[in-house]
Amino acid sequence: MKPVIIFGAGDIAEVVDYLFRKTINRTVAAFTVDGDYVKSDTAFGKSVVAFEEVTSRFPPADYDAFVALSYNKMNVLRAQKVEAMRSAGYNLTSYVSPRATVMTDKIGENCLIFEDNTLQPFCQIGNNVTLWSGNHIGHHSIIEDNVFISSHVVISGGVKVGHNSFIGVNATVVDHIEIAPFTLLGAGCLVQQSTDAEGVYAPTATIEKRKVPSTRLRNI
């Protein structure tokens, strides 16, 4: 398999570097970030290359790429960098932990699937999806592109999670409902009905939609 160029040089990039090297024996050649954000020539023992120069030093024909960024701006930033790497000519690879239980072959590009995830038969995982540790993705559920699901989330069967959504730790989504695009579900939510696009929901006695849309929040 080709060596990997990781877009990013922060904590998630360090974790992804470790996962590729230690759990699937895949070589990470270097990190890249936009030139204005290069703070050092090295990170985690490898070179950091300005994105504007990366193709000349690491040709797309010889390297795959992975974008290791968080859910910043409701996953929009990560999606933009995925498109930038794709436009530069790189193949976007995915990471699926050997300790995940995977009963589907429908997993897209630039997915990050940690240990102890269970992906049941006939579920679909779109492009640029992060599934942190210990989630359950039920049968026939669809996770659209650019979604970030934190740890120990239960997505029941037949659910559709719209693109650019964020689901917090320990949330539970009942079967056969739709999480609309750009939905933010706070930690511990019990979601028993479909959500509205850009809705922000936090656990109370019953689920409650906040007045501020998710795209106007400053810290995500």
Side-chain angles (χ1 to χ4, degrees):
M1 300 180 75
K2 296 179 182 178
V4 181
I5 305 299
I6 293 177
F7 191 106
D11 290 349
I12 293 181
E14 184 179 19
V15 170
V16 170
D17 172 48
Y18 175 92
L19 293 173
F20 274 122
R21 292 186 295 105
K22 296 293 187 178
T23 70
I24 59 173
N25 196 30
R26 189 128 186 228
T27 300
V28 174
F31 300 93
T32 186
V33 296
D34 292 331
D36 290 342
Y37 293 92
V38 176
K39 298 179 180 179
S40 172
D41 292 337
T42 61
F44 319 121
K46 297 181 177 67
S47 298
V48 177
V49 182
F51 174 71
E52 295 80 358
E53 302 171 4
V54 69
T55 56
S56 62
R57 293 186 55 182
F58 299 95
D62 300 326
Y63 296 87
D64 287 340
F66 188 89
V67 177
L69 298 176
S70 72
Y71 45 79
N72 197 15
K73 297 182 179 178
M74 294 297 291
N75 306 293
V76 169
L77 179 61
R78 194 172 75 255
Q80 290 173 340
K81 299 311 177 184
V82 166
E83 183 55 38
M85 293 299 278
R86 186 182 291 119
S87 296
Y90 289 101
N91 172 66
L92 274 297
T93 191
S94 287
Y95 171 82
V96 180
S97 171
R99 292 173 52 194
T101 300
V102 179
M103 293 175 276
T104 180
D105 58 0
K106 296 181 178 179
I107 298 174
E109 301 176 331
N110 208 76
C111 289
L112 179 57
I113 299 176
F114 278 77
E115 72 282 354
D116 300 328
N117 277 281
T118 296
L119 278 60
Q120 289 197 320
F122 310 113
C123 73
Q124 301 177 38
I125 310 298
N127 297 320
N128 194 33
V129 171
T130 296
L131 300 177
W132 218 264
S133 304
N135 301 297
H136 170 97
I137 309 299
H139 63 90
H140 295 94
S141 286
I142 298 172
I143 313 299
E144 292 190 337
D145 296 349
N146 313 321
V147 169
F148 193 108
I149 298 180
S150 303
S151 298
H152 302 290
V153 170
V154 175
I155 305 292
S156 301
V159 171
K160 183 177 180 180
V161 178
H163 65 84
N164 291 85
S165 291
F166 172 89
I167 302 181
V169 172
N170 287 327
T172 298
V173 180
V174 305
D175 58 308
H176 299 293
I177 65 172
E178 182 170 345
I179 306 301
F182 284 94
T183 291
L184 190 156
L185 299 180
C189 276
L190 172 60
V191 187
Q192 298 177 294
Q193 59 190 25
S194 296
T195 67
D196 296 330
E198 300 187 15
V200 178
Y201 300 86
T204 57
T206 57
I207 189 168
E208 178 182 342
K209 179 184 174 183
R210 299 291 180 87
K211 294 181 179 180
V212 179
S214 63
T215 48
R216 291 181 59 190
L217 295 177
R218 293 183 179 180
N219 295 325
I220 188 167

